[in-house]
Each structure stands twice: as structure tokens, then as C-alpha cells.
């Protein structure tokens, strides 16, 4: 692993150094509405006859990776696609419920590319790049056209045209949806396009394969080392460029709404090879998830926040009422705390505020539901008033699938007893740093979808994750990567090249190490402990004292992991404990960087609240003068400290404002 | 509650498998079935026995990765995926058998994990609409009547878990295939390839070792997404039509 060589400062806080700022993101200058056209025009072209000689590895088959693999395959490149699941159709994009934004203005309600751009920048709390976000809004309409052509069954009106709804607090209806299964339908569209290319021979599919190392030769990304999860064989795959579309890292918290296998390994391994990690502390916590029911809990399930449109959120005023049947608590003993604190927005305050206030009332000892550890972690989401106002049939029509899901998981009937909800980690806005071309700080390594940091700033608006994944995969990456590929094919590379041999040997050694420790604790027990540390100190509310403590705890835990983890079974077979060990080992390193990033950002911004940065009445306080930048972290080596590179965010088209919801 | 589990253990694709009995104690009714297996696996790991391999990913009933035969029923006694089955569906003292999907087209990889790549190959044979990126017309240029859009959506809800195959006495993949034929065939965009699609998919299905349909209906009963049996009628109708068209 290479240590940074550029100029940098002395240790700050004893934890990190600061290096050269990033001055060029490769975004063209000029009017914002012309930048993307200009970039596409200036990007070099690749002759169709040469494309099959150029190979691209794509890791991950979600919306970004699946769409990119299909599109590059259609264009005629030689694509190798990898996923750890048994089929590309399982990628976690499938679980997104709500919808996908697009500036079609079908409702003629004043929407436009500029308004979608503006809402997304504002929603990101002014911590995203204007050029990238404008491009996202610009291609959003093409995504809908593409998906409809593929047969994605979006909701339609009786006239046969597409239906839209408003979503996530914006005032226009621009969200396209397929009941509560929008992610599934979009993913199946991309999956089918991908399988069509597999049949055509342009894409080679490697399911049940996990990338464990990036191959960098002469400073360029040239391949990956992947483990065949069925046979255990450690394989070398070489190419002209590598794309990581491996999703987010919310599972560093152990409990999240991510899939069990969602992990940071692909991006973390690339980070250790020189790719900068952007804004790792930016995570989104979703307020309406089904609460933890006990120590056995393996994941959390989200319910669409549309429930807050008609449900009222409350906890008992008195801690001694928390064990009572909620139906027996009289109105005057209930605290509808969001309606009380935010009279104008009430239960519809943004995600971060709803989440933080839920944590606050539970920390006060007024949470409801089963005790997990020392606290009850839940608040009521009550449909009693809605049922009186609307009739049970009308509620079922609007929310039936969500209420059924709640009942299936909790065994309680939400038509009779108020539901219980609690916030859960849902999305990570941070990810590998990329330039306007989605290229990381390693030439030839591109990063798409949730795996990159680029478009959501410090907070993501509802229905924009699906938009970004497909924008990157179908329209952005295929255009920008050709500028890089046009310089190829690059020098032929043998598996015997020292850099390739070294990468493979590192993977073999790591696998052997996990199996040889033979300690006392399971991988899951370390993962749970890490998750508790992250949730407690690097979750919704952070403080300097807490973060410093978390860093110490994580270092201690990591040290114990490498001495005391117990991984049974063999290397040359399907071994799920071994897979988990590799992922948790990387989470143990990422967690520390997240805490360092959170510590250095002494402001409350977007999805996170910094205790030392609040207004007199306890609201989030941003510091644009000091922190309007992207924090891009460079790996400092196993024994070194991470190096911070700042990329200043310049707002030419949108004015920065403080949010207010009182 | 306390339960007795009888679980299929098989070290590898060619190894001889066997049912192994594991008692589990103090199971909470709020656990999902897979969380109950997580608890067992932690206990096995602690006493030095290799944990039981099983597939799961999203654990919210949508990715289709999980799937177990639970006391002879695909995904167990409720109409849902294995990950969304909760222990309150069982009672203290129950004996539960846990097996992998059984079908020639889904060979066992290890313990409860099977290889369902045959489903991907059926999709490769024609389960798509050929529309290269960038070639799409404006979305509103092709209206779709709502009843057709709704039926297409209903069929598109298939998660590809394979419960239909596991439940079928013939291990047929007709419900899975019929769902895709219906999803794409109801839409105007799906018409140009409609004949070729069904012929190619059916041919691949048979080649992969799935059995034929004899109208048992166990597939639709087992489907966690409640795909109805009539998608198979649609498939047969489309196949007949395609053959008449000379495909």
C-alpha cells in the first residue's frame, strides 16, 4: 500500500494531516445548461470496430452497475460484470420503494430541469456540486423514456399516460412510481437489458463473485482480484478500465435497511490503493423504520415516509406511561412532539429532523415498545385520527401494503394499535471521490451510483437515489468512460506482472489469516459491537467527545478482531463466515475514517447534527464560511494517518440559505 | 419457545447430504425464520461446528435470494418469503424440517444453498425488450391502457425466488416464465418480440431440465407474490400463437 507522497501538514487532532486541495474537477465552465453537452462533445470517440478490443470490469449489478454493463455491452465493449449475489437481479436497488424523480413536468405544475436541480442542491444542504447535480436533473427525463421502452410497468392513469406523485416535501409532482416496488421494477429493467447482452456475448457475467482487491499497474486501474464464492478460487481479472458500482456502506452500523451482504469492501480496497474517499461521515437516517425487537435483530425494514402524511407521531409525556397500552393513554398525556416543536411543518419535517427528535425523546426515557439494552427505542405513529377522518377502506387503499408489512413483521394490527417506528440508517451520501467524469483519483477507476459521493451533498432527497443510479449507469458513465478508453487498448498485461501477483498474494494471505486466527468470537459479534459504537457516536448526533471515544473503541475492537475472531470452514468452498470476515474487517477501518471525518466537520449539516454547532433553540447550524467543501480523504498507509484534501464548493447558480422548518 | 430442527446438511455439490437434528431453545416469536437460523449458527460457531449455509440478502421479501422448504412447504406455512416468515407462525415443541429447493434445474451447492442460474438463462433467451440505451422515444408517445398496465405490473411482481419450481411436483418453471411472458406481452413495447420470446424461453426452460406443467397449481399457492395461475394460460396461448405464426 503506497503512502501519500504529496506535501501535507502536521498531524491535526493527532488523527489526520491536510494535503493539497483539489482544484480541478474537470467540469466544463460556462452556462450550466451547456456543460454536459460540452463535455460529451469534447469526450473522445471510440471507433465501433475498436470497442470489442476494449474491456471494462464492472463490480455490482444494481441500477448503476447493471445499467452501465448493459449500455457498454450494447455499444460493443467487452464487459465483465461481477456481483456477490447468486444473480444480478438481487442487487439491493431492488428494495427501494418510493419512486424516481424526473423533470418531465407532465403535471404542468411549474417543474423544470432547473427546479429539480435547485431542489436537489437545497435538499443536499449545499454540500454537493452544482455541475453534477444539474447534469443529473438534465438526464432524468431520458431515464423515464428508457425505462418505459424496456417495459418497466410504471403506474398509469386511466388515459394510459404515466402517473406522478409528489414526494419528500417538494411542491411539484415529479415522482414516477410502480406501487411500492419502484426499485424492483427499475432494477428488473436493467437486469433484463444486462441479460440480453449476456446472450449477445458482449457481457460476461460472474455471479457469486466478490471483488477483494483492485489491481493497479503503473498508476492505472487495470483489474480486480475476485473470489469465486462457490469454489473459493481466487481469480485475477484484467481489463482496460474498472467501474465500481458496489453500493453504499450503511452496514457499518450493523443494523440498517441495507441487504445483509451490502458492504464497503470493493470501494475500501480501492481506497487503500489510492482512491480518495469523499465525505465518509455523510449518512442518511430514515425516520420511519420498524423498530428493533430484540438482540437477535439482523436488519431493519423501512416503511415509506408517505405514512407521515396521515399518521401522527407521539410519545407519552410521562416515562411511567411508556409500558401502558397506548390506546389507554388519554390525549392530554400524549406529546405530539413534532407538532409541538414545529407547528408549521408538524409531522412532515424533513427526514433528519424527524429522526433526531425521535432519538431525543427516547433518550429522555419516553420511548415505547420492548426494551433493547437499557432503552425503549420506538415512538408511536398513530393512524387513529386518519381512520376516523378517512375510513378504514380509504386508509387501506392508500397505505395497505405498508400496513400489511408492518403487521407481518410485528404481529400487531396497525388498524387497531398505533404503529411503532424508529429511525434507521438507510443511505450513505459519502463514497469514493470522483471528478465530473465519475473517475476516481486513480486513473481508469470509475465509480457510479451510491458507491460514489457525488450528487447528494450532505442529505439525499426522496426519490433521487434511483435517479442517480440510473443516470450514472445509462447516460453519464458510458459517455465519460469512452474518453478514457479512447486512449486504449492499453499495454497488454500478464497475470505474472509483479503488481498483479502482489494483489493476488495479498488476497490469499488475508483469506489464510482469517481462517488461522481461530479465536473465541464470531464475526457477527464484532460487527454488532462496531455497529453499536457507530450508532451511538457517529449516528444522528455527534460530538467531539463522543467521536474521540468512538475512535478509541474502534481501534481496540479492530485489534481484538485480528487476534480473536473465529472463522470456521475452509477456503476452497462456499464459506459465508469467511465472506463476512472480509467485509467486517473493512468496516472496522472505514468506521474510524467516518469518525475522523465527522470529528473534523464541526458543523451541523444535512443528515447529521453536531452538538457543538447549534442555534440557541437547538436547531442545526451550518458553517458555510468554513465547511463549504468536499472532504476527500487519502489513505495514509496502515501505520499512517489519513490525509484530507479539500475541494471547495462554489455556488454560481443557487444561493446558500439556512433551512428553517419552524 | 423450544423447537427441534431437522436440517439438510451437504458439504458440497457432489457430497452425500443428510438430515441433521438441532434442538433450539428460547426462540422469540418476533424473530424471523432466518434470524432463528442466525442464532443457531452462532451457537454452532461457538462450539466449533461449521455454520449452516443458506442464502438471503435483503431480508425484506423483495430480492428473491432466500428460499427454504420448511416442513415440506416452499417458504413455509405463510404466503410470503422465508425472510418474512416469523416464528409466531410456529408453536413451542414443533419439529420443523428445513431443506433446500429440490429440482434438477436447481442443483445444491452446499447445505441449503442452490444454483438458480437456470432462471437467468431463461431470461437471456428472451425475457427482455430490445431497446438500446438512448434509442427510446418520449415516454408519453405510447399510452398503455390502465387494465393492461395493471396486469403487466401484477406479473412483473415476480421476484425469481424459485418457490414455484420447488413446490411443483414436476419441478416446472412455467409460473416464473409465464409471469415474464405476461409482464412484457401486455405492453405495446413488448409486441415486436412477442412470438420469438415465448418460443425461445420455452425451449431454454425445457433444455435446463425443468419439468412440464400438468395444471397442479401448487406453484401459484406457493408464490410469495401471489402470481396467479392464469399467467401460464397466457404463456400457452402465446406459444400456440407463435407456432401458428411459424416461429
Amino acid at each position: 500500500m503506497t503512502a501519500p507522497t504529496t506535501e501535507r501538514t502536521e498531524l491535526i487532532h493527532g488523527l489526520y494531516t491536510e494535503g493539497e486541495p483539489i482544484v480541478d474537477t474537470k467540469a466544463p465552465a460556462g452556462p450550466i445548461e451547456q456543460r454536459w453537452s460540452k463535455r460529451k462533445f469534447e469526450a473522445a470517440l471510440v471507433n465501433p470496430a475498436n470497442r470489442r478490443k476494449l474491456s471494462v470490469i464492472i463490480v455490482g449489478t444494481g441500477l448503476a452497475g447493471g445499467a452501465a454493463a448493459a449500455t457498454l455491452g450494447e455499444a460493443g465493449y467487452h464487459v465483465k460484470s461481477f456481483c456477490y449475489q447468486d444473480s444480478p437481479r438481487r442487487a439491493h436497488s431492488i428494495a427501494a420503494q418510493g419512486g424516481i424523480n424526473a423533470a418531465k413536468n407532465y403535471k404542468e405544475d411549474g417543474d423544470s430541469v432547473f427546479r429539480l436541480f435547485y431542489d436537489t442542491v437545497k435538499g443536499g444542504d449545499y454540500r454537493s456540486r452544482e455541475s453534477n447535480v444539474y447534469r443529473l436533473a438534465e438526464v432524468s427525463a431520458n431515464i423515464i423514456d428508457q425505462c418505459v421502452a424496456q417495459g418497466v410497468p410504471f403506474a398509469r392513469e386511466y388515459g394510459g399516460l404515466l402517473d406522478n406523485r409528489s414526494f419528500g416535501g417538494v411542491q411539484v409532482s415529479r415522482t414516477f412510481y410502480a406501487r411500492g416496488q419502484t426499485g424492483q421494477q427499475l432494477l428488473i429493467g436493467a437486469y433484463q437489458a444486462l441479460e440480453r447482452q449476456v446472450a449477445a456475448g458482449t457481457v460476461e457475467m460472474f455471479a457469486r463473485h466478490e471483488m477483494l482487491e483492485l489491481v493497479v499497474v503503473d498508476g492505472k486501474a487495470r483489474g480486480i482480484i475476485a473470489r469465486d464464492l462457490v469454489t473459493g478460487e481466487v481469480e485475477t481479472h484484467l481489463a482496460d478500465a474498472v467501474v465500481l458500482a458496489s453500493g453504499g456502506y450503511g452496514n457499518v452500523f450493523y443494523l440498517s435497511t441495507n441487504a445483509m451482504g451490502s458492504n464497503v469492501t470493493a470501494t475500501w480496497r480501492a481506497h487503500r490503493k489510492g482512491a480518495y474517499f469523499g465525505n465518509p461521515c455523510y449518512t442518511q437516517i430514515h425516520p420511519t423504520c420498524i423498530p428493533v425487537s430484540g438482540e437477535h435483530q439482523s436488519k431493519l425494514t423501512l416503511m415509506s415516509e408517505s405514512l407521515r402524511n396521515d399518521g401522527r407521531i407521539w410519545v407519552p409525556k410521562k416515562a411511567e406511561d411508556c409500558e401502558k397500552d397506548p390506546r389507554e393513554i388519554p390525549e392530554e398525556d400524549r406529546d405530539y412532539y413534532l407538532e409541538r416543536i414545529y407547528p408549521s411543518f408538524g409531522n412532515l419535517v424533513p427526514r433528519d429532523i424527524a429522526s433526531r427528535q425521535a432519538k431525543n425523546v427516547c433518550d429522555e426515557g419516553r420511548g415505547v415498545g420492548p426494551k433493547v439494552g437499557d432503552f425503549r427505542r420506538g415512538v408511536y405513529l398513530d393512524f387513529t385520527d386518519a381512520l376516523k377522518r378517512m375510513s378504514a377502506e380509504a386508509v387501506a387503499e392508500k397505505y395497505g401494503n405498508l400496513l400489511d408489512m408492518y403487521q407481518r413483521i410485528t404481529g400487531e394490527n396497525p388498524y387497531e394499535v398505533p404503529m411503532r417506528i424508529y429511525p434507521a440508517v438507510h443511505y450513505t451520501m459519502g463514497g469514493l471521490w470522483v471528478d465530473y467524469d465519475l473517475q476516481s483519483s486513480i486513473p481508469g477507476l470509475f465509480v457510479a451510483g451510491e458507491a460514489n459521493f457525488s450528487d447528494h451533498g450532505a442529505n439525499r432527497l426522496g426519490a433521487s437515489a434511483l435517479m442517480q443510479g440510473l443516470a450514472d449507469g445509462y447516460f453519464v458513465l458510458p459517455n465519460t468512460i469512452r474518453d478514457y478508453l479512447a486512449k486504449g487498448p492499453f499495454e497488454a498485461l500478464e497475470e505474472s506482472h509483479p503488481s498483479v501477483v502482489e494483489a493476488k498474494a495479498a488476497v490469499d494471505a488475508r483469506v489464510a489469516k482469517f481462517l488461522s486466527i481461530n479465536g473465541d468470537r464470531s464475526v457477527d459479534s464484532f460487527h454488532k459491537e462496531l455497529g453499536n459504537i457507530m450508532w451511538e457516536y457517529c449516528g444522528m448526533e455527534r460530538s467531539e467527545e463522543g467521536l474521540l471515544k468512538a475512535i478509541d473503541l474502534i481501534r481496540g475492537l479492530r485489534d481484538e478482531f485480528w487476534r480473536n475472531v473465529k472463522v470456521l470452514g475452509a477456503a476452497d468452498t462456499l464459506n459465508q463466515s469467511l465472506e463476512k470476515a472480509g467485509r467486517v474487517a473493512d468496516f472496522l477501518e472505514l468506521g474510524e475514517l467516518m469518525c475522523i471525518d465527522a470529528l473534523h466537520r464541526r458543523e451541523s449539516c444535512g443528515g447529521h447534527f453536531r452538538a457543538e454547532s447549534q442555534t440557541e433553540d437547538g436547531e442545526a447550524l451550518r458553517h458555510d464560511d468554513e465547511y463549504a467543501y468536499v472532504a476527500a480523504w487519502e489513505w495514509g498507509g496502515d501505520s499512517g494517518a489519513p490525509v484530507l484534501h479539500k475541494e471547495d464548493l462554489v455556488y454560481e447558480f443557487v444561493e446558500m440559505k439556512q433551512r428553517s422548518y419552524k | 419457545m423450544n423447537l427441534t430442527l431437522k436440517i439438510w446438511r451437504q458439504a458440497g455439490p457432489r457430497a452425500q447430504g443428510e438430515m441433521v437434528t438441532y434442538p433450539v431453545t428460547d426462540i422469540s416469536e418476533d424473530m424471523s425464520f432466518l434470524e432463528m437460523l442466525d442464532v443457531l449458527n452462532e451457537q454452532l460457531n461457538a462450539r466449533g461446528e461449521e455454520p449452516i449455509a443458506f442464502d438471503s440478502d435483503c431480508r425484506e421479501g423483495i430480492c428473491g435470494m432466500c428460499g427454504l422448504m420448511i416442513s415440506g412447504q416452499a417458504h413455509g406455512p405463510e404466503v410470503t418469503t422465508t425472510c418474512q416468515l416469523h416464528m409466531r407462525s410456529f408453536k413451542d415443541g414443533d419439529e420443523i424440517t428445513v431443506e433446500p429447493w429440490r429440482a434438477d434445474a436447481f442443483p445444491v451447492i452446499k447445505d441449503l444453498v442452490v444454483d438458480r442460474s437456470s432462471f437467468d438463462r431463461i431470461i437471456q433467451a428472451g425475457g427482455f425488450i430490445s431497446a438500446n440505451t438512448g434509442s427510446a422515444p418520449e415516454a408519453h408517445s405510447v399510452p398503455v391502457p390502465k387494465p393492461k398496465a395493471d396486469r403487466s405490473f401484477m406479473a412483473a411482481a415476480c421476484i425469481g425466488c424459485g418457490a414455484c419450481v420447488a413446490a411443483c411436483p414436476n419441478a416446472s418453471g412455467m409460473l416464473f416464465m409465464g409471469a415474464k411472458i405476461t409482464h412484457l406481452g401486455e405492453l405495446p413495447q413488448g409486441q415486436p418480440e412477442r412470438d420469438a420470446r415465448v418460443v425461445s424461453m420455452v425451449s431454454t426452460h425445457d433444455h435446463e431440465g425443468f419439468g412440464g406443467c400438468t395444471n397442479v397449481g401448487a406453484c401459484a399457492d406457493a408464490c410469495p407474490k401471489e402470481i396467479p395461475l392464469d399467467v401460464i394460460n397466457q404463456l400457452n396461448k402465446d406459444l400456440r400463437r407463435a407456432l401458428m405464426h411459424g416461429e
Side-chain angles (χ1 to χ4, degrees), chain A residues 454-468:
Chain A
S454 77
D455 293 357
H456 305 297
N459 182 41
R460 184 178 62 72
L461 273 190
S464 62
L466 302 182
M467 174 172 66
Q468 188 224 339

Side-chain angles (χ1 to χ4, degrees), chain A residues 496-526:
Chain A
S496 57
H497 187 286
S499 300
V500 181
V501 171
E502 185 202 326
K504 183 169 183 300
V507 171
D508 286 331
R510 204 166 135 91
V511 166
K513 174 73 177 168
F514 288 133
L515 290 168
S516 68
I517 297 169
N518 202 20
D520 293 327
R521 287 181 64 181
S522 70
V523 177
D524 279 359
S525 78
F526 284 100

Side-chain angles (χ1 to χ4, degrees), chain B residues 111-189:
Chain B
D111 296 339
L112 304 171
V113 177
V114 299
D115 177 356
R116 285 169 291 195
S117 55
S118 48
F119 267 10
D120 291 329
R121 290 188 289 275
I122 290 177
I123 297 299
Q124 284 160 29
F128 49 76
I129 289 170
S130 300
N132 282 0
T133 302
S135 64
E138 183 358 270
H140 268 179
S141 61
V142 187
V144 182
K146 190 165 164 57
K148 282 187 168 290
D150 287 349
R151 187 156 186 269
S152 172
F153 175 82
M154 170 279 294
C158 169
I159 57 173
C161 63
C164 48
V165 177
C168 176
N170 307 328
S172 171
M174 291 284 270
L175 194 76
F176 167 77
M177 203 165 35
K180 190 51 58 192
I181 296 287
T182 307
H183 161 208
L184 301 177
E186 284 288 359
L187 299 171
Q189 293 86 349

Side-chain angles (χ1 to χ4, degrees), chain A residues 89 192, chain B residues 118-119 121-123 125-127 155 158 160 164-165 172-185 197-208 210-213 219 227-228 230-236 238-239:
Chain A
R89 68 179 294 152
Q192 289 172 183
Chain B
S118 48
F119 267 10
R121 290 188 289 275
I122 290 177
I123 297 299
C158 169
C164 48
V165 177
S172 171
M174 291 284 270
L175 194 76
F176 167 77
M177 203 165 35
K180 190 51 58 192
I181 296 287
T182 307
H183 161 208
L184 301 177
R197 175 182 306 124
V198 67
V199 171
S200 176
M201 286 176 76
V202 168
S203 157
T204 302
H205 168 271
D206 295 353
H207 178 77
E208 290 287 346
F210 291 99
C213 175
C219 52
I227 306 282
D230 73 5
V231 299
I232 299 182
N233 303 0
Q234 182 78 56
L235 188 160
N236 285 326
D238 277 20
L239 183 61

